[in-house]
Amino acid sequence: MLGSLSLLAATPFAFRSFSPSPNNNRFLSSAINHQIAKQLATESGRGSQKLLRRHVFPVYRRVSYGSPISAVMTDDSSTVTTSEEDTQNIGILDIDSALRQFKDHFQYRIKKYVDQKNLFENYEGGLEEFAKGYLRFGFNREEDGIVYREWAPPAQEAQVVGDFNGWDGSNHKMEKNEFGVWSIKIPDSEGNPAIPHNSRVKFRFKHGDGVWVDRIPAWIKYATVDPTRFGAPYDGVHWDPPPSERYEFKYPRPPKPKAPRIYEAHVGMSSSEPRINSYREFADDVLPRIQANNYNTVQLMAVMEHSYYASFGYHVTNFFSVSSRSGTPEDLKYLIDKAHSLGLRVLMDVVHSHASNNVTDGLNGFDVGQSSQESYFHTGERGYHKLWDSRLFNYGNWEVLRFLLSNLRWWLEEFKFDGFRFDGVTSMLYHHHGINMPFTGDYNEYFSDATDVDAVVYLMLANSLINSILPDATVIAEDVSGMPGLGRPVSEGGIGFDYRLAMAIPDKWIDYLKNKNDEEWSMTDLSCSLTNRRYTEKCISYAESHDQSIVGDKTIAFFLMDKEMYSGMSCLTDASPTIDRGIALHKMIHFITMALGGEGYLNFMGNEFGHPEWIDFPREGNGWSYEKCRRQWTLVDTDHLRYKFMNAFDRAMNALDDKFSFLSSTKQIVSCTDEENKVIVFERGDLVFVFNFHSENTYDGYKVGCDLPGKYRVALDSDAWEFGGHGRVGHDVDHFTSPEGIPGVPETNFNNRPNSFKVLSPARTCVVYYKVDESVEETNGINVISVSETLEMDASKQKNAEESAILVDHGDKENPQETNDRDTASFDEELQKDGAKQESIEEPAASVLDKKIVGSKLDEPQVEEMEERTPDD
């Protein structure tokens, strides 16, 4: 344990993370198929919500420094210490008293973090200055020339080569300083840069074996590949456009929303055609769709250059380069600026958990067998992810910290991103990378020799840097382990993320859809899974992301409706029971995930309208086809297809949060999990949500508890006609509350709620009720309109934002039995057959309505109150 370790002097070499035991060096199963672990099933009864006592680390005076490119200083004897009080008063321990047994661990990593920041102050001018490495390394304009610097300690000789010198570096030899940094200044030629903009360059060096090799510069800002040569290696490109070609941002960053509603998108696969889409096409064609559906944030995948397209962008080769498949750096700036003009913030999916194993065009090419302290990566088994086939960073290395921290600043300042989603955080946090670890909730799983403290400190530094540069940044961690403190501020001893992804939720839905029939769905289990998150640590909930759509799996819509999506989505015929069930549950699954699962919400591109099938990137196994690496926008744009109903409900879900801000509310109370009747009732903010998952029963006069007395009306109804429902719930009905029990005595109330009202709850329907402000009603003589009515008024605006365009492809029908290998051509055939006979859509036939209407039944009081949860719930 950490308590027995003495704290060492704070030099760049002073602290190291704990060495993993041999049996801990195991690896995650896939870069894309993440191991989904339960999000911290912790013990109960350890306290209640408290006022947070904020612990502030000391602010250190910025000092002057010598070389701005100093590497690891192994001979430094200076020591910067923190006071005993600084490491004794750790705010996170006041929030969760169960963490106090690990106080030594927190003291150790906090001291290491503070001492590292002091080193930056003493030798680099501070953390923020240290993170400006891109102004010194790589190619930069300096007085009358271009200066190129590269950290490559094992190189014996080095040259810069490229188009500018005919790939002959004999006249452009570089010099090496005592820190392993090679540099050269190339004077301008007749007033012009010696290396032209958009010309190819590489770093050529000789290593210990006497072999010369060419590598793409580590800090290169653009990299391209010859599209006419199959399997051609990437080339570094010197990117320094003249002012006339440089994109200038026109719009300010939108303010940080109370709760992020995130649209996860992959630019390359965003076209409706089987090809790679561009940044500018995405900006002009897809961003308006995202805005129209009331999202406030776009999360872009696969931005950093990656030579293998099918890696989904997670095998990064060039960390400072935008993916050239979709355009240039200026094109990406156009996209981000366009998003800002539409009120959309943009997050980047950043990959600092590992790097591509590619040698010729990746960072791994700088590893020629040297020690870990002269490399970006750990040596041996610790530096290689066997199942990801990728390299693992040495987060304790001075120059690795410079590289990664500068990378974050580069994307924030050069491209105006509004924050990050950090990929693969679990792999970073532990020496075992999370493989074969179920994470049962035992705190010893998080704070032991298995914890990679170097990586933890890097993440603390990263979040501190991001917040100092952009205080309104949004930073999200992809972590399956549920490490306590991940989502608490660094000043409290936490790691500093704003949110963690609630990764257990999509796993729960897949389990239900694959393994349980409707009658086996447990309301208590669903409710517990959706609310099982750490007290005071925010989560982003999602029912499905890109992970759930990759080859070998299906979208939720395809799980629900499968082959009938090929023939049953036309509104010109009655919906089959499968389609009727599928659309109803698709709406309910996504909405209850949003409303109950976290403090923010995420949806992957296309799933808002029930995109069918799966994602499969071009690869040898599918004949390098793009057929399933695209988004079929024509499905939702075609007015007589039922995809529009799921899309409209997604738009309404987001509009509801826009109007009532329930996602940001800390008031979340589950008052009823009725197993017999398959009903869940809860409050979020002052809204009352009623979900009826029963396959047949409609409950007339179903009694629901609430907090505030008064008059309630429908705010959102999944059964409304505009959402493909059956219109069974009246939207002009007033629901008046009745007091329950003795005021102030919860055990005498109904389901521990002081008031109640009765509703009509149709089968497979969710309805949200809002409390009418009767004082406003009396003053203005009008009512607050429902979200549904708002959407009806905005229908014309929506049509302008999403212009219908039916693109018909021809293809043969495939075997309906082989649903997991089917081509999308049959979707297009349906469009072709039905496109010529669009007509007014009749109301659904009575035969599809509920089989039963039963009277209200009161269940036993069952309450889950997150307001009163302990830190361990």
Side-chain angles (χ1 to χ4, degrees), residues 585-650:
L585 287 180
H586 187 275
K587 293 180 289 185
M588 295 181 73
I589 287 171
H590 286 82
F591 191 33
I592 197 170
T593 298
M594 178 193 199
L596 202 54
E599 290 73 31
Y601 177 69
L602 179 144
N603 168 74
F604 177 65
M605 179 175 64
N607 290 341
E608 69 274 13
F609 64 84
H611 200 288
E613 301 184 316
W614 56 92
I615 298 169
D616 191 4
F617 280 83
R619 55 189 173 85
E620 187 176 4
N622 66 12
W624 304 103
S625 171
Y626 287 86
E627 187 60 41
K628 290 186 173 61
C629 193
R630 60 184 180 123
R631 296 287 87 178
Q632 299 187 61
W633 303 110
T634 53
L635 297 175
V636 69
D637 290 342
T638 304
D639 193 58
H640 71 281
L641 295 181
R642 290 187 165 91
Y643 297 96
K644 67 177 183 180
F645 296 135
M646 291 177 280
N647 188 68
F649 189 73
D650 178 81

Side-chain angles (χ1 to χ4, degrees), residues 732-764:
D732 57 353
V733 177
D734 292 331
H735 302 269
F736 294 92
T737 61
S738 299
E740 295 288 344
I742 303 172
V745 185
E747 57 269 24
T748 67
N749 299 158
F750 173 73
N751 286 350
N752 279 14
R753 308 311 293 143
N755 296 282
S756 69
F757 59 92
K758 294 183 178 181
V759 300
L760 174 68
S761 180
R764 292 194 181 122

Side-chain angles (χ1 to χ4, degrees), residues 6 46 58 100 204 232 264 305 321 338 469-470 505 512 514 586 645 708 734 764 781 840 844:
S6 60
R46 287 182 181 156
R100 290 175 183 170
R204 178 173 292 169
E264 183 185 36
E305 187 59 88
S321 302
K338 179 69 173 287
I469 296 172
L470 184 63
I505 294 176
Y512 269 51
K514 281 186 175 181
H586 187 275
F645 296 135
L708 303 175
D734 292 331
R764 292 194 181 122
S840 61

